[in-house]
Amino acid sequence: MKLKFGTVEENVVTREEFPLEKAKEVLKDEVIAVLGYGVQGPGQALNLKDNGFNVIVGQRKGSKTWDKAIADGWVPGETLFELEEACEKGTILQFLLSDAGQIALWPTVKKHLTPGKALYFSHGFGITYKDQTGIIPPKDVDVILVAPKGSGTSLRRMFVEGRGLNSSFAIYQDATGNARDRVVALGIGVGSGYLFETDFYKEVTSDLTGERGTLMGAIQGIFAAQYEVLRANGHSPSEAFNETVEELTQSLMPLVAENGMDWMYANCSTTAQRGALDWWKPFRDATKPVFEELYNSVKTGKEAAKSIESNSKSDYRVKLEEELKELRESEMWQAGATVRKLRPENN
């Protein structure tokens, strides 16, 4: 159906117009092979399984994620296989390894993309930056995308709670004439609340910008800047953390999620309202050049190149843990650990 988002009309698919039973009918003869059991794999695989689809998991035997898959109920030799065997058995290959992992496994996956199969992504990276990744699918398979707007952990939690995480969907290649039904059915199957249409390029450029921007990178930067200013002016760690992070995540963002920014403002004091309305535009004007620089770095492929180079190194996970440790052991997040322990639900 078409819905207006502000003044712009967009195509969306809801559960009402494409119910689960229809999705199951579309995919009744398919074997969905979820390749990778790291970030998105567990949530999507378990949701599809619980929704009644024929799902198998492909993962490297002996890895921690292989053990996790077994703990989640996947059975070796029945529903859990080595990656290449899963590629052979699946008619829809859900390519959910990391971007670097996809590059490494691509020759194996490509070998098993026989005519009529579908290659499914949850990120437009591999296809959009094919000059860097080498991922160029054969012409006789469907190439589709469902990108849940959140982590695999959130996707699973919301599914278990009876809710849904919104997802985008895209079709890069429709070899069978059934790519749209296939991709929408998979989107419903993995637990999407609704699906909005995009393309691979727009998905990856918006996604990389969001991750580096307001969703992860920018918000940590803003947290750190305000916390440091408060601490430099004599405020205690607990006060600085509460006024920077805790009030936002626990009190204010749920109101934004419920009914928008103006609703959150309306439920705060008049002093808070005045300050927010006076200061949001200066913050926009100060940060917009950074976002423009970021988007250009994404658009030109620089961010993709940095990601591929970094994530392909053998010591990537060691260096990642060092960087995460720096965050975790910073005073701000150490203060946060104590604040979280003091929440009433944790006592």
Side-chain angles (χ1 to χ4, degrees):
M1 68 170 65
K2 288 185 178 292
L3 290 176
K4 275 195 172 181
F5 292 80
T7 60
V8 178
E9 198 171 66
E10 297 184 36
N11 290 320
V12 300
V13 181
T14 66
R15 293 175 177 179
E16 287 72 28
E17 66 177 295
F18 207 108
L20 180 59
E21 289 308 312
K22 181 177 179 179
K24 289 163 75 171
E25 177 63 25
V26 168
L27 301 178
K28 66 181 181 181
D29 298 323
E30 306 275 14
V31 177
I32 304 166
V34 175
L35 307 177
Y37 207 73
V39 177
Q40 279 289 334
Q44 293 199 34
L46 290 167
N47 291 359
L48 284 163
K49 177 184 175 185
D50 289 352
N51 270 334
F53 295 89
N54 185 11
V55 189
I56 62 174
V57 169
Q59 186 54 48
R60 292 181 183 86
K61 192 172 184 178
S63 64
K64 289 182 180 179
T65 44
W66 176 276
D67 295 337
K68 174 175 168 51
I70 293 173
D72 285 346
W74 303 98
V75 180
E78 295 181 17
T79 55
L80 176 61
F81 301 92
E82 289 272 13
L83 284 159
E84 182 157 9
E85 189 172 359
C87 289
E88 184 178 3
K89 290 179 178 293
T91 60
I92 297 173
L93 306 187
Q94 292 198 190
F95 207 9
L96 301 184
L97 281 81
S98 68
D99 295 321
Q102 288 183 11
I103 294 170
L105 192 68
W106 175 242
T108 299
V109 172
K110 185 177 181 180
K111 181 169 61 176
H112 294 286
L113 282 173
T114 51
K117 285 193 176 187
L119 178 62
Y120 166 112
F121 294 87
S122 282
H123 194 21
F125 191 101
I127 293 292
T128 300
Y129 302 114
K130 57 184 180 292
D131 291 345
Q132 298 184 52
T133 65
I135 297 176
I136 302 173
K139 297 293 185 184
D140 51 9
V141 300
D142 292 342
V143 182
I144 54 182
L145 173 147
V146 173
K149 298 297 105 181
S151 72
T153 301
S154 299
L155 181 72
R156 181 59 179 168
R157 283 179 182 172
M158 292 175 78
F159 177 86
V160 171
E161 292 168 0
R163 301 160 64 202
L165 194 63
N166 303 329
S167 303
S168 61
F169 77 97
I171 300 166
Y172 179 76
Q173 193 167 279
D174 184 3
T176 65
N178 297 318
R180 186 178 179 85
D181 277 354
R182 271 173 145 177
V183 71
V184 172
L186 287 161
I188 297 298
V190 300
S192 303
Y194 76 87
L195 295 150
F196 63 93
E197 195 166 3
T198 187
D199 59 43
F200 276 63
Y201 173 79
K202 288 177 181 175
E203 190 285 326
V204 74
T205 50
S206 61
D207 190 64
L208 292 182
T209 301
E211 290 167 349
R212 286 150 179 76
T214 59
L215 302 179
M216 296 173 68
I219 197 167
Q220 166 61 18
I222 290 170
F223 283 165
Q226 178 170 303
Y227 182 89
E228 288 168 12
V229 168
L230 290 172
R231 289 289 288 124
N233 283 277
H235 298 272
S236 69
S238 62
E239 184 170 59
F241 186 85
N242 272 287
E243 293 296 344
T244 300
V245 179
E246 188 76 352
E247 186 174 346
L248 176 69
T249 59
Q250 298 302 297
S251 173
L252 302 182
M253 289 312 293
L255 292 174
V256 177
E258 181 182 315
N259 210 19
M261 188 66 76
D262 63 312
W263 171 248
M264 185 266 274
Y265 282 12
N267 282 276
C268 294
S269 71
T270 54
T271 302
Q273 292 167 6
R274 184 69 269 144
L277 290 167
D278 287 346
W279 278 93
W280 80 263
K281 289 180 182 177
F283 277 110
R284 176 200 62 192
D285 295 343
T287 59
K288 190 174 179 181
V290 181
F291 281 100
E292 288 171 340
E293 180 184 354
L294 165 60
Y295 191 83
N296 187 61
S297 185
V298 170
K299 185 172 66 174
T300 58
K302 290 180 181 177
E303 292 301 307
K306 284 192 283 187
S307 179
I308 291 169
E309 181 185 5
S310 171
N311 298 352
S312 298
K313 292 178 178 176
S314 59
D315 62 349
Y316 164 70
R317 295 206 171 274
V318 174
K319 289 186 175 179
L320 172 66
E321 180 51 37
E322 289 174 358
E323 291 179 284
L324 294 177
K325 183 180 178 183
E326 181 185 353
L327 279 180
R328 186 168 58 247
E329 294 186 354
S330 68
E331 184 190 86
M332 180 172 73
W333 289 111
Q334 286 294 300
T338 303
V339 169
R340 288 191 296 276
K341 288 177 185 176
L342 293 170
R343 290 176 188 163
E345 65 268 26
N346 294 331
N347 287 288

